[in-house]
Amino acid sequence: MKKLVAMLMIIFSLFCSSTVVSSAAVDPAVVLVNPVSLSTVYSNNLLISVKITQPKTIKVKVFVERQMVNGTLSAINVDTLTISNGTINSETFQSTLISDPPAYKSDNNLSFYTKQINDLTPGLYRIQIDTLDAAGEKIYTSKSYVEVKEKTAEADAKIFDKPQSGTMQFLQNLLNTIFGD
């Protein structure tokens, strides 16, 4: 029973906490839950999850961001990016669309859109969520960036070694208590 309550607490906290980085007006009823904006994913795929809290129609697009280096389009070195007020200056980026599924319509007051994008290479990716009106025109747009890196044994070992604060520290301690080291 304790494990069930703990897992419900974890799921509830994940659904209630989110961060969205945007360059235009953001729809408060449409929130990117996963991956967290400005985070790093150690995998060759992304699981995108969007929480929708009103009847809405959305379109989720995924772009790989490249930059011109010595006349060649190259993956962006995330370590050299400047982040100001939670946003990335993307003026020099060249975006390539890698996922453009059809629009998703929700008729409920709470629903989730999920999509897995596979076979990604290391680099910077932009997730763009457009809220559409009845005519299919954009009324809100939010953009979130995520870095994809190769999965390595060293990255796996460091997941719980990094100092955490706040909610993440609480969740880490809770998981360690429930499942052990």
Side-chain angles (χ1 to χ4, degrees):
M1 183 65 181
K2 288 182 181 180
K3 287 183 181 181
L4 177 62
V5 171
M7 291 305 293
L8 288 174
M9 286 176 47
I10 292 170
I11 291 170
F12 179 73
S13 67
L14 289 174
F15 288 137
C16 291
S17 65
S18 63
T19 303
V20 176
V21 175
S22 173
S23 62
V26 176
D27 188 349
V30 177
V31 177
L32 180 65
V33 177
N34 189 55
V36 174
S37 183
L38 301 177
S39 65
T40 301
V41 175
Y42 294 91
S43 178
N44 65 345
N45 61 55
L46 284 176
L47 178 61
I48 298 169
S49 181
V50 179
K51 177 174 68 170
I52 307 165
T53 58
Q54 293 177 359
K56 299 274 183 175
T57 300
I58 65 167
K59 187 162 181 100
V60 179
K61 298 177 183 178
V62 179
F63 299 85
V64 61
E65 303 289 3
R66 303 268 186 222
Q67 197 169 11
M68 193 65 74
V69 177
N70 297 329
T72 306
L73 276 179
S74 302
I76 294 173
N77 181 356
V78 176
D79 298 329
T80 63
L81 290 177
T82 56
I83 299 173
S84 174
N85 295 328
T87 60
I88 295 175
N89 181 4
S90 59
E91 293 175 6
T92 61
F93 295 173
Q94 292 190 9
S95 303
T96 304
L97 183 66
I98 61 169
S99 176
D100 187 15
Y104 171 78
K105 184 176 182 180
S106 169
D107 295 322
N108 300 318
N109 285 328
L110 179 61
S111 61
F112 291 89
Y113 168 86
T114 57
K115 174 78 175 161
Q116 183 168 345
I117 311 296
N118 295 314
D119 301 323
L120 300 177
T121 57
L124 184 66
Y125 290 83
R126 175 171 44 104
I127 301 167
Q128 179 175 312
I129 305 169
D130 298 323
T131 303
L132 308 175
D133 63 10
E137 299 295 321
K138 291 184 214 179
I139 52 177
Y140 296 106
T141 298
S142 65
K143 297 176 184 176
S144 298
Y145 291 91
V146 63
E147 178 185 18
V148 172
K149 287 188 173 182
E150 288 186 25
K151 185 176 182 177
T152 62
E154 181 180 318
D156 287 343
K158 290 184 178 180
I159 289 175
F160 285 112
D161 291 344
K162 291 182 181 177
Q164 303 289 335
S165 63
T167 305
M168 289 307 296
Q169 181 66 44
F170 170 76
L171 291 175
Q172 178 181 332
N173 292 341
L174 183 63
L175 289 172
N176 283 337
T177 303
I178 294 170
F179 300 108
D181 293 328

